[in-house]
Amino acid sequence: MMTEYSVEVENLGKDFGPVRALNTVSFQVRSGSYFVLLGPSGGGKTTILRLIGGFERPSRGHVRLMGQDVTGLPPNKRGSTMVFQNYALFPHMNVERNVGYGLKLRRLPKQEIRERMEAMLEMVGLAGLNRRMPNELSGGQQQRVQLARSLVLGTDILLLDEPLASLDAKLRKEMCLELKHIQERVGITFLHVTHNQEEAMTIADRIAVIADGDLIEEAAPREIYETPQTSFTAGFIGENNLFRGRIEKVEADHVTAVLSAGKVRVPRRGLEVSEEQEVTVSIRSELLTLTASPPEGDGNQSLPAEFVEQVFLGLTTNYLAKLEDGQQVLARGIGEGEGESFAPGAPLHIVWETKDGLLLVK
Amino acid sequence: MEYSSPWANRAKWCYLLGVVFCLMLPVFYTIYVSFNEFGFGSPKYKFTLDYYVNLFQNEEILNALQWTLILCLLTVVATVPMSLLAAKFYKSARNKVPFLILMLMPLFIPADIMAASLLVFFKNLNHYLNAWLGLDWFNLSWYTVWIGQILWTMPYAFVIILITMSRYRVQQTEAARSCGATAWQAFWQVEFPQIRPGVFSSCAFVFILAFNEYTRTNLLNGGFATFTTYVVNFMLSSGMEPEVYAMSAMISVTSMVVILSLIVYMLTRKELRESEERGAGTPPRSATMAGTG
Ligand SMILES: Nc1ncnc2c1ncn2[C@@H]1O[C@H](COP(=O)(O)OP(=O)(O)OP(=O)(O)O)[C@@H](O)[C@H]1O
Ligand SMILES: [Mg+2]
């Protein structure tokens, strides 16, 4: 029977001697979903994955896989397999023996091993490379072999620790989509660690943001991108402009915040806030525009600034401006300069629609 | 490499062979003399196997040779697995430095001092064990030599294995475990095949060290002679008889044969395995038969 959550982590924590790698983390992964742990380097993502896979013993808390508490079990007794960042293929075995390794351990009949192995090589796009040695494969092919070696076992959960990190950008994008398609095809739970937000956005059904040994927040990719709950996430995902300030006035559905560069109105989003509270206002760079004169009316907010420079990036152009207090502001436009153009140092206003301001209290 | 001058390469090889030749010259000379009927220093040379025949008719020498081989094998059998365990422990240890110092300590102690201390230690140990428990375990005999040899050869075997092990990536063990392998299966099927060259070289090294060892063996053996102690004692009592050259030649040749065959074995084995894995061409028939038979 399928359990609703294939991975359940409860108050999980890990200390390496005096180093606290993971505080206390709890989350659940729905069966058959693609779950991504995303966060900056050193945040504790790998630690979580290794605790789930059974490669480290937790200092506190529990891990349940498919409803069963596996906290005390070694990796080979858990219903999970792992794909590593690199160097994990057995260099003295060819592709076919690498992929068949786990099945051979289970003493399946030779014929069945061969059939399952061939089918899996076909699925990851490596048919015909059976006899190659790992050092004769490209980085991408090696990762495919690893994937095949894990998937062929038919476990319920696949753990992937930065499986694409050692590939070049183009290949990473391709394999990213492919991973997603393979996951949809086999229908098992993928738990994927990455520090690359584009990768996370591409594949995830749900993203958990991990930093400094804590789970900061967990949501669907779109929510994480559009309405992050914390200033940390807002700063980490996408290219958001964060303005610190404090609340001056609280209304039913808006608040007025005093920033160092001026006053702005921000939707309250039902948050419990009080006057004088420290808050952060986040505005996505693609929702900001630069104009010489601020538009009138309640629908827009603006702050005075001066132009710094513009950088053409191909698909988009980045416009950099500087607030009075020196804070850099980034506005992004598609293509090149459909808006006004400015000389460096020219005074201007950064403008956004009131509804696009995101109030963050954490 | 492709652009370097062929002469530079040849010069390097000449230099290397020259140095090896100079170093080995006395050894080759010993071997040469051992086949000369007129012995050392004679201007005349006549090939003979007489000295070797004498050796093999000498009961005592044959006995010593047999003991030596047994002792060497026992030392290999004990030292190599222990060093392997030690190397594995070292890799997973948190606090590596004290362990490393402890393991390498026997290297820094001069042979005679270590032998003498062991001698005193065993004597006392045996005395007290005897007095208190009536046990006579540490009387000087082959196994006190054995313990001494293990103590002494372990650092070498440990270092050799550690060097091959350092190229091994733990992710592979973890990958094997996550494929369902037990700790032992992961070690035996994934890690061991990769550190095998180190294990084999340490076997050869330990064998040769134990074979050539004199000081410890001589002090700790309590009566029976190994080949080396016999040769030295023979030399001390009867001078440089031609038989000594024959015996020395045998020691050197044994050492060289062990090393060379190890190198040849490792080279051919690696190639054989890889061509098997690749399935490119069939390996030589003799090799296939050796593999299955
Ligand atoms: N074996 C260990 N011994 C001591 N500290 C460790 C060990 N493994 C991890 N840490 C520490 O735990 C913290 C979290 O590490 P972890 O590897 O989980 O981070 P990560 O999020 O995977 O980072 P990255 O994206 O760089 O891989 C880091 O501060 C790291 O230094
Ligand atoms: Mg990591």
Side-chain angles (χ1 to χ4, degrees):
Chain A
M1 196 202 78
M2 275 300 251
T3 41
E4 187 178 4
Y5 296 106
S6 48
V7 179
E8 291 162 278
V9 163
E10 208 180 280
N11 299 327
L12 196 63
K14 176 71 183 173
D15 302 329
F16 293 103
V19 181
R20 174 157 286 208
L22 196 63
N23 277 331
T24 313
V25 167
S26 305
F27 63 89
Q28 294 173 313
V29 180
R30 202 170 282 282
S31 291
S33 66
Y34 206 125
F35 195 94
V36 170
L37 299 173
L38 174 66
S41 187
K45 307 177 297 290
T46 300
T47 306
I48 296 181
L49 209 66
R50 292 174 59 81
L51 288 168
I52 294 174
F55 302 107
E56 309 281 0
R57 197 176 275 278
S59 306
R60 53 198 161 269
H62 293 272
V63 176
R64 266 196 298 281
L65 300 183
M66 307 311 286
Q68 187 205 354
D69 191 326
V70 297
T71 313
L73 297 181
N76 50 319
K77 297 266 170 62
R78 302 190 177 197
S80 58
T81 52
M82 182 133 156
V83 170
F84 297 81
Q85 181 174 343
N86 44 25
Y87 306 122
L89 289 181
F90 309 137
H92 59 300
M93 297 185 190
N94 60 23
V95 168
E96 128 186 335
R97 289 218 298 141
N98 262 287
V99 177
Y101 181 74
L103 297 178
K104 206 169 148 206
L105 286 174
R106 295 186 188 171
R107 299 169 193 272
L108 294 185
K110 274 224 165 75
Q111 187 56 33
E112 188 183 343
I113 295 183
R114 174 149 292 279
E115 278 163 14
R116 283 173 69 172
M117 186 247 339
E118 297 277 4
M120 200 46 74
L121 283 181
E122 181 82 46
M123 176 149 125
V124 300
L126 286 181
L129 296 187
N130 302 30
R131 291 303 187 102
R132 289 273 189 93
M133 299 303 281
N135 63 8
E136 299 167 337
L137 298 172
S138 71
Q141 288 170 329
Q142 290 183 18
Q143 293 308 73
R144 286 167 204 264
V145 176
Q146 263 210 77
L147 195 62
R149 180 175 69 187
S150 297
L151 287 175
V152 78
L153 299 173
T155 52
D156 302 306
I157 301 150
L158 183 67
L159 310 171
L160 306 105
D161 189 4
E162 313 238 8
L164 310 177
S166 47
L167 308 182
D168 67 53
K170 184 159 176 290
L171 190 58
R172 183 157 62 224
K173 273 185 198 156
E174 283 170 23
M175 274 204 65
C176 214
L177 276 175
E178 219 178 303
L179 266 181
K180 176 83 183 153
H181 294 150
I182 288 175
Q183 189 266 341
E184 281 162 2
R185 191 121 53 98
V186 294
I188 67 171
T189 311
F190 276 37
L191 186 52
H192 180 127
V193 160
T194 181
H195 60 249
N196 182 314
Q197 56 152 307
E198 193 184 335
E199 190 177 313
M201 301 299 269
T202 313
I203 40 181
D205 293 323
R206 280 189 89 73
I207 294 178
V209 178
I210 310 285
D212 289 333
D214 279 311
L215 192 152
I216 307 288
E217 64 177 286
E218 184 214 316
R222 207 184 176 89
E223 277 174 66
I224 289 253
Y225 186 76
E226 286 176 355
T227 51
Q229 299 299 307
T230 61
S231 53
F232 176 83
T233 311
F236 184 67
I237 295 194
E239 294 189 63
N240 297 319
N241 295 294
L242 300 182
F243 305 106
R244 294 191 197 287
R246 78 196 145 66
I247 292 181
E248 188 186 67
K249 197 165 98 201
V250 182
E251 296 160 55
D253 48 5
H254 282 85
V255 300
T256 304
V258 185
L259 313 176
S260 57
K263 277 187 202 177
V264 294
R265 259 163 68 81
V266 196
R268 187 174 149 190
R269 300 197 294 135
L271 291 171
E272 281 301 322
V273 286
S274 53
E275 285 172 15
E276 292 303 311
Q277 187 177 343
E278 302 272 330
V279 292
T280 305
V281 177
S282 163
I283 295 131
R284 276 151 58 194
S285 55
E286 68 268 30
L287 301 174
L288 264 188
T289 47
L290 309 182
T291 61
S293 51
E296 298 297 319
D298 232 15
N300 289 301
Q301 300 298 315
S302 71
L303 291 172
E306 78 181 38
F307 190 72
V308 177
E309 62 176 339
Q310 105 186 33
V311 184
F312 178 59
L313 295 174
L315 186 59
T316 58
T317 305
N318 282 355
Y319 303 91
L320 283 173
K322 199 166 69 181
L323 296 184
E324 280 161 5
D325 64 349
Q327 184 182 349
Q328 289 259 5
V329 178
L330 171 69
R332 272 191 303 169
I334 299 204
E336 194 175 17
E338 81 272 15
E340 307 161 54
S341 55
F342 302 92
L348 48 71
H349 290 266
I350 61 167
V351 181
W352 66 93
E353 288 183 43
T354 307
K355 66 173 174 46
D356 291 334
L358 186 67
L359 182 68
L360 300 169
V361 295
K362 279 187 275 190
Chain B
M1 203 52 206
E2 254 118 75
Y3 292 101
S4 60
S5 137
W7 284 106
N9 198 26
R10 271 164 232 176
K12 264 186 272 175
W13 272 101
C14 286
Y15 177 70
L16 180 70
L17 291 177
V19 168
V20 170
F21 185 76
C22 290
L23 288 176
M24 297 297 282
L25 200 58
V27 176
F28 291 136
Y29 183 68
T30 309
I31 297 174
Y32 170 81
V33 169
S34 71
F35 290 109
N36 185 3
E37 194 182 312
F38 303 106
F40 175 77
S42 160
K44 282 189 282 182
Y45 193 86
K46 185 161 174 246
F47 182 80
T48 177
L49 286 173
D50 283 356
Y51 304 122
Y52 289 90
V53 174
N54 286 353
L55 282 189
F56 282 102
Q57 280 164 354
N58 184 333
E59 198 67 16
E60 257 182 287
I61 291 185
L62 288 182
N63 238 337
L65 199 58
Q66 193 186 346
W67 266 121
T68 314
L69 291 180
I70 293 175
L71 185 68
C72 291
L73 287 177
L74 283 176
T75 309
V76 168
V77 165
T79 303
V80 174
M82 280 163 76
S83 315
L84 186 57
L85 282 179
K88 279 207 66 90
F89 176 81
Y90 175 82
K91 289 222 38 170
S92 65
R94 277 277 168 78
N95 215 347
K96 294 183 195 295
V97 178
F99 182 70
L100 191 67
I101 292 175
L102 215 60
M103 278 304 295
L104 299 187
M105 200 94 87
L107 281 182
F108 306 127
I109 303 170
D112 24 22
I113 292 180
M114 186 159 141
S117 346
L118 277 174
L119 179 66
V120 174
F121 176 72
F122 285 137
K123 284 257 185 219
N124 279 316
L125 193 63
N126 202 47
H127 173 77
Y128 288 117
L129 276 182
N130 214 342
W132 294 340
L133 301 169
L135 299 173
D136 200 23
W137 285 354
F138 291 95
N139 225 340
L140 295 189
S141 73
W142 66 267
Y143 56 82
T144 47
V145 180
W146 187 47
I147 295 173
Q149 296 282 23
I150 294 173
L151 261 182
W152 178 59
T153 51
M154 191 118 104
Y156 296 95
F158 171 73
V159 167
I160 294 175
I161 292 177
L162 201 59
I163 289 170
T164 26
M165 232 182 219
S166 67
R167 261 176 308 179
Y168 177 75
R169 311 272 187 169
V170 245
Q171 285 100 315
Q172 291 168 23
T173 298
E174 292 180 344
R177 294 302 301 272
S178 92
C179 285
T182 60
W184 169 253
Q185 284 170 325
F187 171 72
W188 186 243
Q189 296 164 354
V190 175
E191 183 170 7
F192 187 76
Q194 295 179 57
I195 58 172
R196 195 168 3 210
V199 173
F200 281 172
S201 340
S202 70
C203 284
F205 213 63
V206 167
F207 187 92
I208 290 171
L209 285 176
F211 189 83
N212 293 342
E213 156 64 12
Y214 170 72
T215 321
R216 297 168 185 81
T217 319
N218 196 40
L219 275 183
L220 296 174
N221 69 13
F224 79 94
T226 64
F227 201 56
T228 338
T229 58
Y230 185 86
V231 174
V232 175
N233 292 337
F234 185 88
M235 258 181 341
L236 293 179
S237 57
S238 8
M240 293 298 279
E241 294 294 319
E243 277 84 359
V244 173
Y245 293 109
M247 288 189 276
S248 315
M250 277 173 65
I251 294 180
S252 326
V253 170
T254 313
S255 302
M256 286 191 277
V257 165
V258 170
I259 296 276
L260 282 180
S261 49
L262 184 89
I263 292 174
V264 169
Y265 173 79
M266 287 197 314
L267 289 180
T268 51
R269 190 190 151 83
K270 187 165 157 27
E271 269 175 22
L272 261 182
R273 273 216 65 87
E274 290 199 345
S275 76
E276 238 169 68
E277 288 286 319
R278 251 184 231 110
T282 37
R285 197 172 148 67
S286 60
T288 345
M289 281 167 60
T292 51

